[in-house]
Amino acid sequence: MQAADSYFVDFRDVWLAYNDELRAQNHFAVEAIDLQIGRGEFIAIVGPSGCGKSTFMKLATGLKMPSMGKILIDGSPVTGPLKISGMAFQAPSLLPWRTTVDNVLLPLEIVEPHRSQFKAKRKEYEARARALLQKVGLAGYEDKFPWQLSGGMQQRASICRALIHEPKMLLLDEPFGALDAFTREELWCILRDLQAEQKFNVILVTHDLRESVFLADTVYVMSKSPGRFVVKRDIELPRPRDLEITYTKEFTDIVHELRGHIGALRKAGAPIQQ
Ligand SMILES: Nc1ncnc2c1ncn2[C@@H]1O[C@H](COP(=O)(O)OP(=O)(O)OP(=O)(O)O)[C@@H](O)[C@H]1O
Ligand SMILES: [Mg+2]
């Protein structure tokens, strides 16, 4: 057990209703979330559509404040949108009129303290963006426009954009959902390597159980109505993990086990398991 202040993310009995009317009806999008994430931990969240995964992300980055309960990030209570996080979503959402490198630079033009130094430090920032693009296999595409890139390349660029300001926490909501299986596995490895090197926290929402087991230290299963965390599964597979591990019995057993939990949730009420 870690001391409470050593958690990077600490949700204490957090409930969220999207508006007053829903709250008056006791209709919460997520409820009773008690969840602690250690520094540098990689967690994945799986669960049926509409169970509250994106809502959890909004809470974790301060875009929504809880109706009840408390959220601490990096030891401080969350009071508004956080600068220490980067986000990437299912659709890469790059700006079509900017080149790849200029898309990656975007957060530095918006987020302080970079914003006020952007002009003076532009060269240094651009070198950082180009190095990051190279790391994810986009050397040679830095000055192309998003429409000249494949879906997988665009998603790589949007991960670079989420990481350019060196956030302590990376939030990924179904980032690889739209990609083919080969590209997806390539991006798993890129994310694995970036995280091993830079040690940022990751919260990954995914519908792909193999993805969750390959990447995460801990997988959480959420149930729908009520939106609660019902299973916590530590993934003890040793690191660094190679794609070969996904063909081992150890790996597929965990995937099966999680599949079983989700199947049970779809049939009946949710038992609470740790
Ligand atoms: N802005 C909103 N106003 C009111 N209700 C909302 C709002 N956004 C989400 N909800 C409700 O909150 C619940 C959880 O939604 P959320 O988007 O977090 O689900 P999800 O797990 O991310 O689903 P998916 O897998 O489809 O992305 C749903 O019942 C949804 O209808
Ligand atoms: Mg969602």
Side-chain angles (χ1 to χ4, degrees):
M1 194 69 192
Q2 302 184 47
D5 61 359
S6 75
Y7 293 126
F8 187 73
V9 176
D10 188 357
F11 274 60
R12 299 185 186 168
D13 197 19
V14 170
W15 299 58
L16 177 85
Y18 266 101
N19 55 50
D20 292 343
E21 199 181 322
L22 290 168
R23 180 164 182 185
Q25 296 161 2
N26 270 337
H27 195 99
F28 295 92
V30 293
E31 52 181 71
I33 302 182
D34 257 309
L35 185 134
Q36 284 76 34
I37 307 176
R39 253 163 232 289
E41 190 177 340
F42 192 137
I43 74 151
I45 303 174
V46 297
S49 184
C51 68
K53 302 181 295 296
S54 298
T55 304
F56 176 81
M57 296 297 230
K58 289 180 211 164
L59 288 164
T61 193
L63 293 174
K64 280 270 163 203
M65 298 309 289
S67 312
M68 292 187 277
K70 196 170 171 187
I71 303 170
L72 299 165
I73 309 260
D74 205 5
S76 313
V78 175
T79 52
L82 294 178
K83 285 186 211 150
I84 57 162
S85 61
M87 291 185 104
F89 306 96
Q90 181 165 7
S93 68
L94 301 173
L95 300 175
W97 59 87
R98 283 181 161 236
T99 60
T100 306
V101 68
D102 283 342
N103 265 288
V104 173
L105 285 169
L106 195 64
L108 300 180
E109 291 173 44
I110 297 171
V111 180
E112 291 292 7
H114 309 287
R115 181 193 174 135
S116 41
Q117 317 168 16
F118 189 80
K119 277 212 178 95
K121 284 192 157 181
R122 161 126 203 158
K123 274 224 167 86
E124 183 187 317
Y125 287 158
E126 193 175 320
R128 196 200 287 179
R130 287 178 185 274
L132 201 51
L133 284 165
Q134 230 168 50
K135 221 175 256 179
V136 304
L138 285 181
Y141 292 88
E142 300 92 335
D143 300 302
K144 303 252 188 270
F145 289 92
W147 41 269
Q148 296 173 300
L149 271 52
S150 71
M153 289 171 169
Q154 290 184 36
Q155 201 53 287
R156 288 168 204 231
S158 71
I159 289 173
C160 292
R161 184 180 55 186
L163 289 174
I164 189 68
H165 59 301
E166 298 176 338
K168 290 186 180 173
M169 174 160 76
L170 178 63
L171 303 181
L172 300 169
D173 199 342
E174 281 278 330
F176 312 131
L179 305 175
D180 68 83
F182 295 112
T183 309
R184 194 179 307 165
E185 290 182 354
E186 252 170 50
L187 289 193
W188 292 356
C189 295
I190 284 171
L191 178 59
R192 171 200 64 193
D193 294 344
L194 286 171
Q195 201 254 348
E197 189 186 300
Q198 299 178 20
K199 308 264 185 304
F200 42 79
N201 275 78
V202 184
I203 303 177
L204 167 73
V205 164
T206 179
H207 286 115
D208 183 341
L209 296 180
R210 292 175 64 248
E211 178 171 302
S212 73
V213 175
F214 180 68
L215 287 169
D217 298 309
T218 318
V219 177
Y220 290 88
V221 180
M222 267 188 103
S223 73
K224 193 176 174 177
S225 344
R228 279 178 181 248
F229 285 87
V230 288
V231 178
K232 175 184 182 208
R233 176 62 160 94
D234 292 319
I235 311 297
E236 283 126 2
L237 301 169
R239 290 185 185 273
R241 296 175 192 160
D242 200 80
L243 280 175
E244 282 301 313
I245 207 170
T246 64
Y247 300 100
T248 63
K249 182 169 181 321
E250 225 182 336
F251 182 91
T252 49
D253 280 352
I254 303 174
V255 175
H256 270 142
E257 183 192 317
L258 289 170
R259 169 98 48 225
H261 287 310
I262 289 180
L265 284 178
R266 295 176 88 132
K267 274 192 215 128
I272 307 247
Q273 301 186 25
Q274 281 279 328

